[in-house]
Amino acid sequence: MVNTDPPRTLFSQLPGLVQSTSTLPWILFSSQLPMSLRAYIKTHCPKFFYILKNLYSFFSKSMEESNPSDGISDTPPSFDPLAPAVPISYPLKTLEELESRAYFKSFHYPFNKATEKLKGDLPKRQQILVCHDFAGGYTDDKFVQGGVNADAYAVWHWYLIDIFVYFSHNLVTLPPPCWTNTAHRHGVKVLGTFIMEWDEGKKLAETLLLTKESAHMYAERLTELAVALNFDGWLINMEVTLDPKQIPNLKEFVSHLSQTMHSSVPGSAVIWYDSVTIDGDLSWQNQLNDKNKPFFDICDGIFLNYSWKEDYPKSSADVAGDRKFDVYMGIDVFGRGTFGGGQWTTNVALDVIKKDEVSAAIFAPGWLYETKQPPDFQTAQNRWWGLVEKSWGVVQNYPKILPFYSNFDQGHGYHNYIDGEQVSGTPWNNISLQSFQPFIEYPEDPTTQPIQVVVDFKDASYSGGGNIKFIGTLGDDTFTARLFQGELLLGNSPVHFTYSVKSSGNSLLGLALEFFSAKNEKNHQVGDRARVGYTRK
């Protein structure tokens, strides 16, 4: 059980920070206030938190209006979606854009259609949802045809993810196609985000929920976008207070969106975020109960807020009954009021969730990149996801069909090769080009292994911009590393594989296949001693 009481020292800082009523909202949403105190206020004083959010919005707007430009502006011209330009991904910010189908008239629309189809559906089991929330969204990934930042943020541990949510604080967050392409390639569903928050969100909700017909119409517009751009559903976050009279139309919106998504995209999902209650209060419950279950009952799952206690996953599973896998317990990787502390102890929360047989929703794993965790992003990300695997295990297996190919490219690099010949030496990024990612096991302490296995981007590649490198001194022993974990029904069929390898000194490298029978009996077979054909380039 985690003590949720904030340290007294945090409260002692507050009087010195607050000079007037008008400064309080700025402190709440600035770096001056410790995250743990902000999370405490949100959890234990939600109405006060909501008032401060609205004050922050009001003062922000007032300051903008009180500082008019004197004819000289450094502000770039406003974005015109109709004008030809470098193709980008972008969100919708108004209900007018959504209602009018303005997006489909955009110059950028045809470039934002994901090309990879999701094959199959997720089995009924505990799942891991990852909510991206990186630096406000639409950073390097907004450039549909790729960019020049070789160190751009990316995710590559897809074998530990079931659902990926692209998140921003805009009204309608449309996933850039690069995320949808690589996630689908790895068997992962992709959801966009529909969010209403702050004072502005409350006004938007009045329009959305004006009538049953308006609720249905906006739901159908969201479905049209998901179908057109080839992603798999929506996270719904209504983080506003509502008049109880608006709740019936809110339920109509959620229900109709679920129904239209299911009929248009088989296997799609609509997930409700734990925010406004069935009474219209903005009150994060942190568990499934009678305040939020009516919304859970009409969609595919609920993403619960992060400030839950140790017994909440079990009580939520009891409330959900045979739908317990549709309950996603939130974990904020930044650690803002989250059970277990997040960050390098995110696995503490995962262990409890796994034990109590509900699902997990990991929010903002970009913490590793944004906070520059040492020694570098590649190493830190691999180590952090290694903790996730240790707690949860592998959730996605591939290859599932043949032929199967990987060049281990993560979708960024400093060069590009085709068949061993360099065709470009320019830094680049494009997550769409991620190849199937290997299931490399990363120990917490890599010095315990005689050989380190890494995906490398600096040395020459055979194909694309990356390769797998084995580093270390082995002596006379042998060393094996897991590359992939497939689900292939082979029967008596022969298997052939081709690989390219470059080694130094007296190093020898080969591939091995390990088979499992239907009875889960293991039969280890290596190289040409098995019925495995291989060619080395």
Side-chain angles (χ1 to χ4, degrees), residues 4-183:
T4 57
D5 294 331
R8 293 181 183 273
T9 54
L10 299 183
F11 283 119
S12 67
Q13 297 175 34
L14 200 55
L17 292 172
V18 181
Q19 304 300 322
S20 68
T21 305
S22 64
T23 64
L24 186 57
W26 291 105
I27 292 169
L28 179 65
F29 297 101
S30 76
S31 59
Q32 295 182 58
L33 194 74
M35 287 291 186
S36 53
L37 181 52
R38 189 189 308 175
Y40 182 86
I41 294 172
K42 177 179 177 180
T43 302
H44 296 273
C45 311
K47 292 184 178 179
F48 181 57
F49 182 85
Y50 181 67
I51 291 170
L52 290 176
K53 286 184 74 173
N54 289 337
L55 283 172
Y56 178 82
S57 179
F58 171 77
F59 285 121
S60 296
K61 187 174 182 180
S62 297
M63 287 186 68
E64 290 175 2
E65 294 174 349
S66 64
N67 290 288
S69 65
D70 34 351
I72 301 174
S73 175
D74 295 327
T75 305
S78 59
F79 172 61
D80 180 2
L82 299 180
V86 174
I88 63 169
S89 299
Y90 66 94
L92 305 185
K93 298 184 177 182
T94 67
L95 285 174
E96 289 78 13
E97 289 178 277
L98 182 59
E99 179 177 358
S100 67
R101 297 185 172 98
Y103 184 80
F104 297 112
K105 304 169 188 174
S106 166
F107 168 81
H108 304 267
Y109 159 57
F111 300 94
N112 277 273
K113 298 178 181 179
T115 55
E116 289 279 348
K117 296 288 186 181
L118 183 64
K119 300 175 179 66
D121 197 8
L122 298 176
K124 274 293 179 184
R125 55 162 171 75
Q126 290 173 279
Q127 297 177 6
I128 290 186
L129 177 153
V130 170
C131 197
H132 132 283
D133 187 46
F134 172 73
Y138 302 102
T139 54
D140 291 290
D141 55 9
K142 74 179 179 182
F143 297 106
V144 177
Q145 296 172 324
V148 296
N149 180 10
D151 299 314
Y153 177 70
V155 170
W156 53 86
H157 297 82
W158 296 105
Y159 55 95
L160 302 175
I161 304 172
D162 293 298
I163 299 174
F164 178 81
V165 179
Y166 194 79
F167 181 90
S168 79
H169 288 279
N170 295 287
L171 177 68
V172 180
T173 301
L174 301 170
C178 60
W179 288 106
T180 306
N181 282 331
T182 192

Side-chain angles (χ1 to χ4, degrees), residues 235 271-275 284-289 292-293 296 301-308 312-313 315-317 326-332 338 358-361 363:
L235 172 68
I271 295 179
W272 174 261
Y273 176 66
D274 169 32
S275 49
W284 300 269
Q285 299 299 298
N286 303 297
Q287 61 183 312
L288 184 64
N289 59 25
N292 51 31
K293 189 173 182 292
F296 172 76
I302 186 168
F303 181 150
L304 293 171
N305 193 46
Y306 322 106
S307 301
W308 45 272
Y312 285 10
S315 65
S316 297
D326 298 334
V327 175
Y328 297 83
M329 304 301 300
I331 307 170
D332 181 6
T338 199
V358 289
S359 294
F363 186 77

Side-chain angles (χ1 to χ4, degrees), residues 102 129 185 213 240 244 253 257 262 265-266 301 359 452 460 465 467 489:
L129 177 153
R185 189 174 299 128
E213 289 72 25
V240 292
F253 171 73
L257 178 59
H262 293 164
V265 183
S359 294
Q452 293 184 42
N467 53 72
L489 296 176

Side-chain angles (χ1 to χ4, degrees), residues 287-516:
Q287 61 183 312
L288 184 64
N289 59 25
D290 58 355
K291 296 289 186 182
N292 51 31
K293 189 173 182 292
F295 299 111
F296 172 76
D297 290 339
I298 54 178
C299 66
D300 299 295
I302 186 168
F303 181 150
L304 293 171
N305 193 46
Y306 322 106
S307 301
W308 45 272
K309 299 180 181 179
E310 192 167 6
D311 59 334
Y312 285 10
K314 178 63 169 63
S315 65
S316 297
D318 292 341
V319 173
D322 59 4
R323 289 191 61 201
K324 61 184 178 182
F325 298 154
D326 298 334
V327 175
Y328 297 83
M329 304 301 300
I331 307 170
D332 181 6
V333 181
F334 275 83
R336 295 164 286 203
T338 199
F339 179 87
Q343 302 184 10
W344 290 106
T345 54
T346 295
N347 54 302
V348 172
L350 284 171
D351 289 345
V352 174
I353 296 168
K354 180 73 171 176
K355 173 180 64 71
D356 290 333
E357 298 186 320
V358 289
S359 294
I362 300 174
F363 186 77
W367 168 80
L368 294 150
Y369 189 104
E370 293 189 61
T371 58
K372 296 180 172 60
Q373 291 296 300
D376 56 75
F377 176 57
Q378 280 279 326
T379 305
Q381 171 127 300
N382 289 333
R383 178 189 161 207
W384 187 87
W385 281 100
L387 296 175
V388 174
E389 179 178 351
K390 185 176 179 181
S391 174
W392 206 268
V394 170
V395 302
Q396 295 281 358
N397 289 314
Y398 46 85
K400 293 184 178 180
I401 59 173
L402 295 177
F404 174 80
Y405 170 78
S406 176
N407 63 6
F408 309 111
D409 202 321
Q410 288 183 358
H412 59 97
Y414 299 91
H415 53 239
N416 213 329
Y417 282 74
I418 297 176
D419 293 337
E421 298 292 329
Q422 183 171 345
V423 295
S424 172
T426 303
W428 64 279
N429 67 80
N430 189 341
I431 300 172
S432 273
L433 299 181
Q434 268 197 18
S435 185
F436 279 102
Q437 293 300 299
F439 293 55
I440 299 175
E441 296 177 271
Y442 297 96
E444 291 186 52
D445 182 4
T447 62
T448 61
Q449 299 289 338
I451 301 293
Q452 293 184 42
V453 186
V454 298
V455 175
D456 174 75
F457 309 99
K458 299 296 178 66
D459 288 347
S461 303
Y462 182 79
S463 173
N467 53 72
I468 284 188
K469 181 183 285 189
F470 298 82
I471 309 167
T473 302
L474 192 58
D476 296 329
D477 296 326
T478 59
F479 173 83
T480 59
R482 180 187 69 186
L483 293 185
F484 297 104
Q485 188 168 303
E487 290 181 347
L488 289 167
L489 296 176
L490 296 176
N492 294 320
S493 303
V495 177
H496 302 271
F497 55 83
T498 302
Y499 65 100
S500 172
V501 61
K502 179 181 179 181
S503 59
S504 58
N506 60 353
S507 300
L508 295 175
L509 185 67
L511 293 181
L513 293 184
E514 192 172 79
F515 298 94
F516 293 83

Side-chain angles (χ1 to χ4, degrees), residues 256-269:
H256 195 64
L257 178 59
S258 300
Q259 292 169 16
T260 55
M261 280 301 307
H262 293 164
S263 62
S264 302
V265 183
S268 58

